[in-house]
Amino acid sequence: MNYKDLADLIFPDVKEISYYEEKYPERNLPEGAVVTRFAPSPTGYVHIGGLYQCVLEEVLTKRTNGVLFLRVEDTDQKREIENGINGIIDSLKSFDINYDEGMVSESEEKGNYGPYKQSIRGDIYQAYAKYLIEQGKAYPCFCSQEELDEIREKQTAAKVRPGYYGVWAKYRTLTVEEAAEKIKNGEKFVVRFKSPGREDRKIKHKDVIKGNIEFPENDLDIVIIKGDGLPTYHFAHVVDDHLMRTTHVIRCDEWVSSIPIHLQLFYEMGFKAPKYAHYAPIMKEEDGKKRKISKRKDPEAAVEFYHKEGIPSQSVKEYLLNIANSSFENWRRANPDKSIDEFDFQLNKMSVSGALFDMVKLLDVSKTVISRMTAEEVYEKASEWATKYSPELSKLLENKEYALKVFGIERGNKKPRKDIAKWADVMENIDYMYDEYFYAKEQNHEYQVINENEDIAKILSLYIERYDENDDKQAWFDKIKEIAGELGYAKEVKEFKANPDAYKAHVGDVSTAIRVALTARTNTPDMYEIMQVLGKDVVIDRLQKEIERLK
Ligand code: GLU
C-alpha cells in the first residue's frame, strides 16, 4: 500500500486537481491588473474595517482593470447567522461597492471562478488535500481531544513550545497501513499538512504594506481538512486564492503571523503565492492612546451607523481613502470633479501603524462632498434618508420645487457653501426657510453690534419701504448702503475703520440686523438669495412682525 492508495481510501470520489486547474485558467487581464477579494465570514455585519478594505480594493481593481470578487468564508458553521450573506451584500450595496464576481444573494453568484461560497466547495478542497496525501505531504490524524490535551500537558511540563509539530505530532509517523486500518475501523480523523519546516530556520517575506519581515519557518502540522470534511481557513485560503487567480491578498494584519503557514502551503502545493498586503486596523484615539476601533465600544464601527446618521456613502468612502493614502487630500483638491476611481491609490503608501479614525475630519470631508452635489441630488438623498429616519424632514421636503430652491442657495458657486455634513443636519440647516418652523421656534433673535430695539426697528422700517424683489444683487446691496448712510452708519467698512468714532456702526452691521430679523440667525448663506427664495410677501411679513415684536 502506498500514499496514493491511502489517498483513494480517504477521498474515493473526488476529481483530479487537473480538472480544476483547467476549469479555472489564468485570467486573461492586462498587465498590472489587480485581482483581489473581500472574503468575510457571514456574520451579517460589515465592520468599518471591512468597508475600508473594500473601498481600497475597489479603487485598486477599477484603476488597474482588474477584478474584485466577494467570497463568503462560511466553513465555520458554528459562527454563522441566518441571512448573514444578504446582510453583507446589502451593506456593500448601500456603499455602492461594485464587485465584479462573487455572491449576489444567499445562493446566487456571478463570475466564472466560483462557487464563491466556501461551504459548497468541499469537493475542491478535498481534491487538493488528496493531492497532498498522494505525495506524502499530508496525512490523516486520529488525535482525540484527550490526546491533544495530554500532548499539551507534556509540553508544559517539559517547558517547550506547545503545538502539534515534530516529535509531538503523534500520527505523523503512522505507516500507510496503520492509517488505513484505523480508517477502515471507522476511527474519526482530520487531515493534517506534514510540515517540512524547522523552527530554527528563518523565512523572508516582503509584504506590500509592511515591507520586509522575517519569520521562523512554520513547523506545525496544521489541520487542513476538519472532521466535518470542510477545510480550515489556512487551507481554504490557499486553494481558493490559487484557483480564483488572486494576485493580491489584502487583509487585516491579524493574519500576518500566518504568513509562514500560507507561503509554505503555496510552495508545497507547487503554486505561485499571491502578493500579500497586510493593513493595520483602523485606530481610535482614547485618553491620548491609540486603540483598535471596536465593535463593542464604538458605534461608528458598524457601517449601519453612517446610514442612520445620514452621512452619505460617498463621504465615508472619500474619508477612508483619505486615511489610507495621505496624498488623497491634495489630489481631491486639485481634482474636485473626478471620480475616486481615478485616484492613484497605492497600497505601499499605507500607514504601517494604522490610520486614526477622526469623526470631525470625516464630517469635514462630508461637507465638501455634499457641497459638490447638485440641489437635485441633495434633495433626493436627503429625502431618501428622511423617509427612513425623519418624518419631520420628510414633511418639510414635501414641496419639492421650494426645497430645490432652498438647496440651490449658493450651490454651484465656485466655492460652494459647506454647511451640511449629514442628512441629519438638514432640518436644522434649512428650517428657518419655512414659516411654519420659523414661527414655531422660540423667537430668539440675537442682535449683534446694532442691538437697540429702536435702532433695529428704524432699519427694518426703512428697508421695507425700499425693498424691491426685482432688484439685482448690486441694486439690492446699494439699497442697504443707502439706508446705512441715511441712518448715520458708515456706508463702507473701510470708512468706518478709518474713523470709528464718527459712526455708530457700519453697513455690515446694518445688514446683520436685517439678517437676524429675517432669519433669527447670525450666520446664513447669502441673504440676497435667501430673500429671493422666501419671496417678497414672506420677507416683508417677517420684518413687519419683528418690528412689532421689538416694540
Ligand atoms: N474570512 C476571513 C476573515 O473574515 C478573511 C481573511 C482574508 O481576507 O483572507 O477574517
Side-chain angles (χ1 to χ4, degrees):
M1 196 173 189
N2 57 24
Y3 289 135
K4 175 125 192 7
D5 302 324
L6 179 63
D8 281 337
L9 180 67
I10 296 177
F11 297 119
D13 299 322
V14 300
K15 295 195 167 65
E16 301 259 330
I17 69 160
S18 56
Y19 169 82
Y20 297 109
E21 295 296 318
E22 271 163 42
K23 184 165 177 199
Y24 307 107
E26 289 282 352
R27 291 169 184 269
N28 194 2
L29 293 171
E31 173 125 10
V34 169
V35 179
T36 192
R37 75 295 191 273
F38 180 49
S41 298
T43 50
Y45 174 101
V46 177
H47 184 263
I48 185 74
L51 183 64
Y52 181 51
Q53 181 182 321
C54 284
V55 170
L56 309 182
E57 292 182 328
E58 195 194 6
V59 173
L60 202 58
T61 50
K62 285 243 173 79
R63 191 171 45 76
T64 58
N65 295 312
V67 178
L68 171 59
F69 60 86
L70 172 64
R71 179 171 74 221
V72 170
E73 307 217 319
D74 59 344
T75 58
D76 187 357
Q77 306 205 309
K78 287 189 289 284
R79 280 178 58 205
E80 211 164 314
I81 66 158
E82 213 176 307
N83 246 338
I85 301 181
N86 280 336
I88 289 166
I89 292 170
D90 289 346
S91 297
L92 297 185
K93 260 200 204 132
S94 70
F95 281 91
D96 300 314
I97 302 283
N98 293 304
Y99 47 92
D100 308 285
E101 298 174 7
M103 300 309 292
V104 295
S105 74
E106 290 287 327
S107 57
E108 291 151 300
E109 59 177 37
K110 56 177 179 182
N112 296 330
Y113 286 78
Y116 296 90
K117 181 154 84 165
Q118 289 183 333
S119 59
I120 52 174
R121 294 173 64 78
D123 290 355
I124 305 180
Y125 305 117
Q126 292 183 1
Y128 282 83
K130 180 172 184 180
Y131 171 69
L132 286 177
I133 299 171
E134 282 169 0
Q135 300 168 73
K137 292 182 177 179
Y139 62 91
C141 168
F142 304 87
C143 234
S144 64
Q145 191 54 50
E146 293 72 43
E147 284 173 284
L148 285 172
D149 293 343
E150 201 181 305
I151 293 172
R152 176 164 290 239
E153 276 161 31
K154 284 188 185 151
Q155 288 172 327
T156 312
K159 295 200 169 54
V160 298
R161 182 167 52 97
Y164 201 86
Y165 61 91
V167 293
W168 303 101
K170 192 168 167 186
Y171 291 92
R172 183 185 173 121
T173 46
L174 227 53
T175 63
V176 174
E177 286 76 15
E178 286 166 331
E181 183 67 24
K182 283 181 173 292
I183 291 170
K184 284 182 196 146
N185 289 340
E187 283 192 40
K188 287 203 169 61
F189 64 94
V190 298
V191 179
R192 284 184 187 269
F193 174 58
K194 195 186 280 177
S195 172
R198 271 178 35 191
E199 214 242 352
D200 58 350
R201 283 193 307 227
K202 295 262 186 284
I203 60 154
K204 284 199 171 95
H205 163 64
K206 183 159 197 244
D207 193 87
V208 180
I209 297 172
K210 296 195 179 293
N212 290 323
I213 325 179
E214 265 194 7
F215 295 96
E217 262 182 22
N218 171 60
D219 66 350
L220 296 175
D221 284 1
I222 58 142
V223 175
I224 57 175
I225 301 286
K226 299 180 288 184
D228 60 6
L230 285 172
T232 52
Y233 167 75
H234 301 307
F235 194 57
H237 152 54
V238 171
V239 171
D240 289 351
D241 284 314
H242 165 65
L243 288 179
M244 295 178 184
R245 308 293 172 181
T246 302
T247 63
H248 289 66
V249 169
I250 300 169
R251 62 185 179 189
C252 187
D253 65 6
E254 64 186 313
W255 294 109
V256 76
S257 57
S258 303
I259 274 291
I261 295 177
H262 296 165
L263 290 178
Q264 194 177 51
L265 278 170
F266 269 105
Y267 185 79
E268 292 302 323
M269 309 253 282
F271 305 151
K272 181 170 183 271
K275 289 195 168 127
Y276 285 92
H278 288 97
Y279 63 87
I282 298 180
M283 310 293 276
K284 208 178 151 164
E285 199 166 88
E286 193 177 63
D287 306 326
K289 278 198 219 94
K290 268 172 126 188
R291 63 161 174 82
K292 268 201 260 181
I293 214 160
S294 118
K295 276 190 206 179
R296 214 165 30 81
K297 290 194 207 152
D298 308 308
E300 67 271 34
V303 295
E304 194 44 35
F305 168 84
Y306 304 90
H307 298 318
K308 280 198 192 125
E309 286 286 300
I311 303 176
S313 40
Q314 184 64 19
S315 307
V316 179
K317 288 168 92 171
E318 294 223 355
Y319 175 67
L320 292 174
L321 274 171
N322 216 301
I323 58 173
N325 268 184
S326 56
S327 55
F328 180 81
E329 201 163 356
N330 280 337
W331 176 84
R332 180 41 101 204
R333 217 171 282 133
N335 304 283
D337 302 320
K338 285 198 176 159
S339 149
I340 54 173
D341 296 334
E342 290 182 57
F343 173 62
D344 186 20
F345 170 69
Q346 299 288 336
L347 281 169
N348 60 5
K349 300 227 171 88
M350 286 179 76
S351 137
V352 175
S353 64
L356 205 56
F357 187 90
D358 175 1
M359 191 52 104
V360 176
K361 177 76 183 164
L362 165 59
L363 294 179
D364 199 50
V365 167
S366 190
K367 279 186 181 169
T368 308
V369 168
I370 295 179
S371 77
R372 287 198 306 260
M373 292 181 183
T374 61
E376 184 80 35
E377 269 176 283
V378 172
Y379 178 81
E380 291 305 332
K381 292 191 196 281
S383 305
E384 198 185 312
W385 177 82
T387 310
K388 264 180 126 173
Y389 300 105
S390 167
E392 203 187 17
L393 181 61
S394 269
K395 191 154 172 293
L396 189 78
L397 297 179
E398 265 168 14
N399 182 345
K400 178 170 176 182
E401 201 188 331
Y402 185 72
L404 285 179
K405 285 192 202 161
V406 173
F407 290 132
I409 295 176
E410 279 190 37
R411 207 159 277 281
N413 288 4
K414 226 173 168 185
K415 272 196 152 184
R417 190 178 174 82
K418 298 181 184 174
D419 49 5
I420 304 173
K422 49 184 178 172
W423 308 127
D425 290 348
V426 167
M427 189 76 201
E428 196 198 287
N429 243 277
I430 63 167
D431 63 356
Y432 69 96
M433 294 299 292
Y434 294 80
D435 269 355
E436 62 271 35
Y437 287 93
F438 180 71
Y439 291 116
K441 269 197 184 165
E442 205 192 327
Q443 297 292 296
N444 188 14
H445 294 53
E446 285 181 35
Y447 286 100
Q448 308 284 303
V449 177
I450 303 175
N451 52 22
E452 296 290 333
N453 288 5
E454 211 180 312
D455 293 343
I456 298 162
K458 265 191 207 151
I459 294 173
L460 301 184
S461 306
L462 208 49
Y463 190 75
I464 293 172
E465 274 174 34
R466 308 270 165 94
Y467 178 63
D468 180 349
E469 66 173 336
N470 296 316
D471 284 344
D472 64 15
K473 192 158 181 188
Q474 191 55 51
W476 170 85
F477 191 59
D478 286 345
K479 275 188 184 158
I480 300 183
K481 273 194 194 171
E482 197 179 284
I483 292 168
E486 279 173 42
L487 295 176
Y489 303 102
K491 284 165 83 171
E492 304 284 343
V493 180
K494 259 195 297 189
E495 273 172 36
F496 179 78
K497 285 202 173 138
N499 201 357
D501 297 334
Y503 303 100
K504 293 191 276 185
H506 60 69
V507 61
D509 303 317
V510 172
S511 156
T512 300
I514 300 172
R515 181 190 310 274
V516 174
L518 189 67
T519 65
R521 296 175 181 218
T522 48
N523 183 10
T524 70
D526 185 83
M527 190 160 56
Y528 174 75
E529 288 191 48
I530 290 179
M531 288 188 180
Q532 293 287 310
V533 173
L534 288 175
K536 182 170 178 190
D537 293 347
V538 174
V539 171
I540 303 287
D541 192 46
R542 285 194 186 181
L543 297 182
Q544 251 155 5
K545 287 208 171 87
E546 184 59 1
I547 296 173
E548 282 305 307
R549 202 185 65 91
L550 290 170
K551 273 187 184 156

